[in-house]
């Protein structure tokens, strides 16, 4: 992979969170049939199951605020590993929740990236 892994990771995150915040069902093309999500310890596999879980989350409005987005190249498979920390503003609550999320992007046959692995945790404690 060329030195663009940081750019790929940051662009993915920007697109992912904008889509999540405005139209969660629009996340489907960002996952594949074998993609795996671990959300607060619960696992979901495949784009349809992942987006069904995300779409069923019990809030009307959400806004992700990225604080840090660290990216590494995955040299073995030309992928990108992304670690995000940020704030989550839910239903206009004045006290944002802290969250951490990890994405592993793989390159598809056409050269486009998709999310193969996604792990999400709220930082409560």
């Amino acid at each position: 992979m060329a030195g663009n892994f940081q750019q790929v990771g940051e662009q993915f995150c920007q697109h992912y969170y904008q889509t999540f915040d405005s139209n969660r069902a629009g996340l489907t093309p960002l996952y594949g049939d074998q993609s795996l999500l671990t959300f607060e310890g619960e696992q979901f596999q495949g784009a349809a199951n992942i987006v069904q879980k995300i779409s069923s989350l019990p809030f009307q409005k959400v806004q992700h605020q990225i604080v840090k987005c660290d990216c590494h190249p995955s040299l073995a498979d030309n992928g990108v590993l992304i670690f995000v920390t940020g704030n989550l503003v839910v239903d206009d609550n004045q006290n944002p929740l802290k969250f951490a999320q990890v994405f592993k992007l793989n390159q598809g046959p056409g050269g486009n990236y998709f999310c193969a692995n996604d792990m999400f945790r709220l930082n409560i404690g």
Side-chain angles (χ1 to χ4, degrees), residues 89-103:
V89 179
V90 177
D91 291 332
D92 297 322
N93 189 324
Q94 298 302 309
N95 299 313
L97 302 168
K98 305 288 185 193
F99 77 93
Q101 192 159 12
V102 174
F103 298 103

Side-chain angles (χ1 to χ4, degrees), residues 55-72:
S55 296
S56 72
L57 295 173
F59 45 76
Q60 299 303 311
K61 289 175 59 182
V62 62
Q63 180 187 8
H64 290 82
Q65 301 166 340
I66 298 173
V67 174
K68 296 288 182 189
C69 177
D70 298 318
C71 304
H72 278 204

Side-chain angles (χ1 to χ4, degrees), residues 100-112:
Q101 192 159 12
V102 174
F103 298 103
K104 169 60 171 60
L105 305 184
N106 285 353
Q107 213 167 14
N112 59 320

Side-chain angles (χ1 to χ4, degrees), residues 1 6-7 12 27 45 53 80 90 93 97 106 114:
M1 161 173 281
Q6 186 73 34
Q7 181 181 7
F12 174 84
L27 294 171
Q45 187 167 19
K53 170 58 181 177
V80 180
V90 177
N93 189 324
L97 302 168
N106 285 353
F114 69 96

